[in-house]
Amino acid sequence: MHVSGAERPATAGKDARRWQAFTGEAATLEATGESFASVTTQRSEEASDAGRTV
């Protein structure tokens, strides 16, 4: 699954996690090809550094 988030940005992460659980495959970010897990970790760290929670 390639995740763009453009279709439904508010639910893209939830949709990707459900798809991964259902298929056992790793979702990737369509724009960069990075794994969903990698992008989630990176964005979480960036938010933490800025004092926000994701």
Side-chain angles (χ1 to χ4, degrees):
M1 171 183 196
H2 292 286
V3 179
S4 69
E7 299 81 22
R8 298 179 312 184
T11 64
K14 184 179 186 180
D15 294 342
R17 285 187 289 278
R18 286 182 176 175
W19 182 86
Q20 289 180 131
F22 179 74
T23 65
E25 297 181 29
T28 56
L29 186 64
E30 189 173 63
T32 64
E34 292 177 272
S35 73
F36 177 72
S38 174
V39 172
T40 300
T41 300
Q42 178 184 9
R43 290 182 180 174
S44 180
E45 289 172 355
E46 290 170 358
S48 178
D49 289 344
R52 299 184 313 256
T53 56
V54 178

